[in-house]
Structures are given as structure tokens and as C-alpha cells.
Amino acid sequence: MKPENQTNILEFLLLGFSQYPEHQPMLFGLFLLMFVVAVLGNLLIILAVSIDSHLHTPMYFFLSHLSISDIGFISTTIPKMLVNIQTQNKSITYAECITQIYFFMLFGGMDTLLLTVMAYDRFVAICHPLHYSVIMNPQLSGLLVLVSWFISFSYSLIQSLLMLRLSFCTNQIIKHFYCEYAKALTIACSDTLINHILLYVIICVLGFIPFSGILYSYYKIFSSILKIPSADGKYKAFSTCGSHLSVVSLFYGTGLGVYLSSDATSTSGKGIVASVMYTVVTPMLNPFIYSLRNKDIKKALKTLGRIPFLSGKLTGFRHLN
């Protein structure tokens, strides 16, 4: 592009769901409801794990951090979208866009790493039950979470800093409901080769490697479960990782749908729908998946229900379960 076509962009336009103007009030109510349910559900998981001493184990320690990450993940995109729908203003400032990209990558990467750590925890619990307390000691559990946060902070910071070096032309339209990094790169005027290379490297490192680790863990888990002679023993062993397997399937299934459909259907809206599943529905459903058939979580929620200021909120949560 010629230099005169470049400008210092102060804001971008997020098209979002603008192709459905008559549905804006319904979309506002729906996303507000999902946001509130997701935040409250994950907060209850965090409170339950913090208050109930029976949940002070590595598995629930990782789960509480997953809930923290999910709250951050959904809070990165939905509040801004709700404001834009309410004000009928599709703009997002350049600073807000960079900030949104940073935190979206931070919490998205953290979800990926935590799910991998949780798979390793289930692998040790089922394949090496006698050594579980020795292997998954508090020091290792804390180190795994700390390393996960450090990796997520580092790569999201690098990506955001590389974004700052780009210049943008007069085309300020991002065909999404949030400032999605890959789509923001498509409207840049300057060379984005380094950004794309790093993006693909990170997708491989934080996508393929953790997912391969999860698959390997569950391969060993299923192999161990099949060796258990009794059907009741197999059921108990599988029930300890059923919730995590459901969350992994939901997270990677919807995430894969985003990357497979985003380019091919960017104008049809299907990519946006896939992103909604990935960024909104998954964080909302995680607390319910872990509490539906988990007796320890249900017991902890009942304990929280005895706290006066939480009793009303937990009544509705229990009805949903």
C-alpha cells in the first residue's frame, strides 16, 4: 500500500451480529444471561474449593484456576459486545483492541494448559494411584499452575507487542464481535509475516503439543481401566475423569470449529457462531459439567448454601443442576 493510504488508526469497527439488527434486543438479553451464569457458576466453584477442606486436592486446585481463567476469558469479550449492542455503536478503540487481544490470548492459552495439567493429574491418579500423593504434591501442583500462567503471560505479551508495530489503512472493519487477532492482521497495511509465523508456531505449541499430551494421558488411562477386572471398578475409575473428558471435548471441539470455519465462512456468520460456542458457551457450561455428577462439589455447594448471603444464589444454581 502507498504511504498516503496509511493512517494512525484510533479505533476499529466490530461488525459482530450487525447482520441481524432486528435480533439485537434478544441477543443482548441472551448474552447477558450467559455472561452472568458463567461468572456466577465459576465463582461458586472457586468459593467451594476455597472453603471446603475436602476439596483441597490437586484436582480441585487446578479446577479453581480453570474457573478463574474462564471468568477472565468470557469477561474479555462479552462486556464490550453488550455495550456496543446497547449503544448501537460498533467501535472499539485501538488501545481496547490490543488489550482485548492480550487478555483473550492469555486466558485462552491458560485454559489449554490447565486442561493438559488436569489430564496429567487424572493419569497419575488412575495409572499410579499408590504414588499419587507423592507425585502430585502441593509443590508440583503449584509449580505446574505457575508455569502455565507464566507461559500464557509471556506469549500473549509478545503477540500484543508485535501487534503494536503494525500500521493500518483506512479499512478498519473487523468482521467479528471481538478484536480477533487473526482478523486484525488481515486489515494491516504493514508486513505481517513475523506475526503470522509466530501465530502458527504458538498454535502448534499451545494447541498440538498439549492436545497430544491429553490424548496420550487418556490412552494410558483407558488402557489401565480396561485391566480392572470388575465392572464397578471400571465405572468408578472412569467417573473420576468423565467430567474432565467432557470439558476437553467441548473446548477443543468448539475451538477446532472456529479455526476450520473462520476463514471459509467469515461473511456467512457461521464462524462467529462457532466463536460464540468457544468463547461463551464453554466457560458457561464448565461449572455445571463438573458439578452435575460430582458429589464432593455438590456437598461443598450445600455448605456454601448455609452461608446467609449466598443461600439465595445457590438455590437457583442447584435447580439448574
Side-chain angles (χ1 to χ4, degrees):
M1 299 293 293
K2 294 181 180 180
E4 58 267 26
N5 288 334
Q6 298 182 354
T7 182
N8 293 322
I9 295 296
L10 298 179
E11 65 179 19
F12 299 99
L13 295 179
L14 300 176
L15 290 188
F17 298 92
S18 58
Q19 62 269 41
Y20 310 113
E22 69 279 7
H23 298 154
Q24 296 300 306
M26 182 187 68
L27 289 172
F28 179 86
L30 178 62
F31 280 104
L32 178 61
L33 176 63
M34 290 193 292
F35 175 74
V36 171
V37 171
V39 172
L40 288 180
N42 282 289
L43 279 177
L44 289 175
I45 294 294
I46 296 170
L47 286 173
V49 174
S50 301
I51 293 175
D52 195 326
S53 60
H54 296 93
L55 301 183
H56 293 174
T57 63
M59 180 178 70
Y60 295 112
F61 174 68
F62 298 141
L63 176 60
S64 64
H65 279 270
L66 181 66
S67 292
I68 294 172
S69 181
D70 280 342
I71 291 175
F73 196 40
I74 195 171
S75 299
T76 299
T77 57
I78 299 305
K80 178 60 178 177
M81 185 192 71
L82 293 176
V83 170
N84 285 2
I85 292 177
Q86 185 66 21
T87 61
Q88 298 295 309
N89 184 359
K90 304 180 182 66
S91 66
I92 180 172
T93 67
Y94 179 77
E96 287 176 336
C97 183
I98 297 295
T99 303
Q100 200 173 69
I101 287 174
Y102 172 79
F103 284 106
F104 185 86
M105 289 185 172
L106 167 64
F107 294 117
M110 192 62 190
D111 272 9
T112 302
L113 295 173
L114 281 175
L115 289 176
T116 307
V117 169
M118 294 170 77
Y120 175 71
D121 174 76
R122 293 300 84 203
F123 160 73
V124 176
I126 294 175
C127 299
H128 305 284
L130 299 178
H131 300 92
Y132 178 77
S133 59
V134 177
I135 298 175
M136 297 304 298
N137 55 71
Q139 292 76 22
L140 179 61
S141 300
L143 180 62
L144 289 173
V145 170
L146 183 62
V147 170
S148 297
W149 279 112
F150 176 77
I151 293 174
S152 299
F153 273 118
S154 300
Y155 98 89
S156 54
L157 178 61
I158 293 173
Q159 288 281 51
S160 300
L161 291 177
L162 284 176
M163 184 76 174
L164 290 174
R165 59 179 281 274
L166 300 178
S167 59
F168 295 87
C169 303
T170 54
N171 179 17
Q172 307 170 22
I173 298 175
I174 297 178
K175 298 178 180 179
H176 222 299
F177 66 88
Y178 67 95
C179 209
E180 205 265 338
Y181 184 70
K183 284 186 168 54
L185 291 181
T186 63
I187 62 174
C189 291
S190 51
D191 184 15
T192 60
L193 178 61
I194 296 177
N195 301 76
H196 278 102
I197 291 176
L198 184 59
L199 178 61
Y200 295 139
V201 169
I202 288 176
I203 289 176
C204 291
V205 173
L206 293 184
F208 178 75
I209 294 179
F211 187 60
S212 299
I214 293 173
L215 290 179
Y216 177 77
S217 296
Y218 274 102
Y219 166 74
K220 301 297 289 186
I221 288 172
F222 290 141
S223 298
S224 297
I225 291 177
L226 291 176
K227 295 177 182 177
I228 300 176
S230 66
D232 185 57
K234 291 180 179 178
Y235 175 78
K236 289 182 178 179
F238 182 77
S239 64
T240 63
C241 58
S243 297
H244 178 260
L245 186 59
S246 300
V247 171
V248 168
S249 302
L250 182 63
F251 182 81
Y252 277 97
T254 54
L256 184 63
V258 170
Y259 288 103
L260 289 180
S261 64
S262 58
D263 292 332
T265 60
S266 59
T267 58
S268 67
K270 293 182 180 179
I272 294 180
V273 173
S275 295
V276 169
M277 295 295 296
Y278 175 61
T279 61
V280 183
V281 177
T282 299
M284 181 186 68
L285 291 182
N286 283 352
F288 300 103
I289 292 175
Y290 274 103
S291 63
L292 279 174
R293 299 177 61 184
N294 192 307
K295 295 180 180 179
D296 293 331
I297 292 290
K298 288 183 178 180
K299 183 179 178 181
L301 290 176
K302 289 180 180 179
T303 302
L304 287 177
R306 300 189 186 101
I307 302 176
F309 75 95
L310 287 175
S311 58
K313 298 180 177 63
L314 287 177
T315 300
F317 186 77
R318 284 197 295 267
H319 286 324
L320 289 173
N321 283 287

